Amino acid sequence: MHIWLKRTAVFTFATGMLVYVHCALAQQYPARPIRIVAASSPGSGPDVIARLIAQKLTERLGQQVVVDNRAGVGGNLGAEAVARAAPDGYTLLLAMASQAIGMTLYKKLSYDLGRDFAAIAPVASTPFILTTHLSLPATSVKGLIALAKARPGELLLGSGGAGTPPHLCAEMFKAHARISFVHVPYKGITPALTDVQSGQLHFAFSSVPAAMPFVRSARLRALAVTTLQRSALVPDVPSVAETLPGFEALGWYGLVAPAGTPQAVIERLHAVTQSAVGAPGLIEQLRNQGAEPMQGTSASFGAFIGAEIKKWGDAVKDVEAGPE
């Protein structure tokens, strides 16, 4: 009995110390500036999102949160830098869909997006929008699918580059609808949309901000968005899922830290990030960038990243496999 009591006392003491350290760490953090690595160039969409959230975190944490741009190789250079950083909560990554794609697209990576990072919180999602040439005899998703089936392999899809999220979104659409088309990649989405407008291409998937100037000026027709429900960004545009139930393809952004970052730090960052994302001012700023705020626990965001790696990976494999 004496030994059992001693063991119980030691266990109770150790548990109490862990709770004390956890609480103390949460109270002390952050003690110096925090860096968010945005794996994109200054002025790009991801950079703008990173700076919006950095500003709100600075206000809430009482420490400067700065953005460090590390563009290159589909977002991999920035992710690699954060994966190698100390797991202390002072170097974070604005993770995004292109890095989930990269897990399959690039054969040799020095990091694993699911294994080498601890999920903190989702920040925003960006739907894609399907637009067509005005003269195309298809004014709905159902009509476009019927046209593609009547003219197999004849319709031309424009994209901002092979392997980009909008291109792979189109490949998901092709698989769900069981149609075929010819992919024409461009160096950027604007020239692709310009050629859809001129009639050299038939349709394209793109970000909402890229397409809407063409739609508002009646140079392109907006058929659908790729959210499960209609998007607040373009509430009058149907979702693809209204024709193809369950179809969803999103760009997304969220904060992650190197694996091994203390749980107390993760919880502190999660709380302030979700508070910031839910603030009306930031919601409006995100929507001005063509993004919708995202909410969720750290655990659900980690599961989301895992699901996205598989979803986009399947699309990459379908492209690499080529036509049947």
Side-chain angles (χ1 to χ4, degrees):
M1 178 66 72
H2 180 66
I3 294 175
W4 180 83
L5 287 173
K6 287 180 67 177
R7 287 176 176 173
T8 301
V10 169
F11 176 78
T12 302
F13 175 77
T15 302
M17 286 301 296
L18 284 174
V19 172
Y20 172 79
V21 170
H22 179 96
C23 294
L25 186 58
Q27 291 173 357
Q28 295 170 6
Y29 176 86
R32 63 178 191 271
I34 298 169
R35 179 170 59 119
I36 297 177
V37 172
S40 61
S41 57
S44 64
D47 173 67
V48 172
I49 299 292
R51 293 182 189 279
L52 288 175
I53 198 67
Q55 178 186 353
K56 298 302 181 183
L57 294 188
T58 295
E59 296 169 1
R60 285 163 169 76
L61 291 171
Q63 283 286 352
Q64 190 70 27
V65 180
V66 299
V67 174
D68 179 6
N69 296 98
R70 298 287 186 94
V73 197
N76 292 329
L77 292 183
E80 288 173 354
V82 178
R84 293 193 300 266
D88 55 12
Y90 291 97
T91 303
L92 312 177
L93 173 70
L94 184 74
M96 52 189 179
S98 62
Q99 289 151 348
I101 293 170
M103 290 295 299
T104 305
L105 188 63
Y106 299 98
K107 304 307 178 186
K108 294 182 179 180
L109 289 178
S110 63
Y111 72 92
D112 184 298
L113 186 62
R115 181 192 65 219
D116 296 333
F117 296 93
I120 296 172
V123 171
S125 64
T126 54
F128 304 114
I129 187 166
L130 168 60
T131 56
T132 67
H133 184 256
L134 294 177
S135 69
L136 197 70
T139 58
S140 66
V141 172
K142 184 178 180 180
L144 179 63
I145 293 171
L147 182 65
K149 288 183 175 180
R151 297 165 56 183
E154 292 184 23
L155 298 188
L156 303 179
L157 165 87
S159 84
T164 58
H167 164 226
L168 294 177
C169 170
E171 296 294 339
M172 290 183 195
F173 176 71
K174 178 167 70 175
H176 276 70
R178 298 182 179 180
I179 60 173
S180 64
F181 53 72
V182 176
H183 172 225
V184 184
Y186 286 70
K187 293 182 178 180
I189 191 58
T190 300
L193 291 172
T194 299
D195 278 0
V196 176
Q197 171 201 323
S198 69
Q200 295 183 57
L201 302 174
H202 297 103
F203 67 108
F205 285 87
S206 71
S207 68
V208 172
M212 288 314 293
F214 291 88
V215 174
R216 292 192 182 105
S217 59
R219 291 178 288 160
L220 288 177
R221 177 185 293 121
L223 287 196
V225 289
T226 60
T227 44
L228 283 176
Q229 289 82 36
R230 297 193 183 200
S231 170
L233 299 172
V234 281
D236 295 333
V237 179
S239 70
V240 174
E242 291 176 33
T243 302
L244 299 174
F247 183 89
E248 182 183 40
L250 303 171
W252 53 265
Y253 305 97
L255 290 179
V256 298
T261 298
Q263 186 61 29
V265 172
I266 297 295
E267 291 173 4
R268 174 88 168 113
L269 287 169
H270 174 268
V272 295
T273 301
Q274 292 292 269
S275 170
V277 170
L282 185 59
I283 291 173
E284 182 179 356
Q285 289 175 307
L286 288 172
R287 286 178 175 164
N288 288 338
Q289 298 300 317
E292 290 279 18
M294 291 179 72
Q295 296 279 350
T297 65
S298 297
S300 66
F301 183 46
F304 171 82
I305 290 174
E308 286 289 288
I309 290 171
K310 183 181 186 307
K311 175 192 282 189
W312 290 110
D314 288 344
V316 171
K317 291 172 184 175
D318 286 344
V319 174
E320 291 176 342
E324 298 180 355

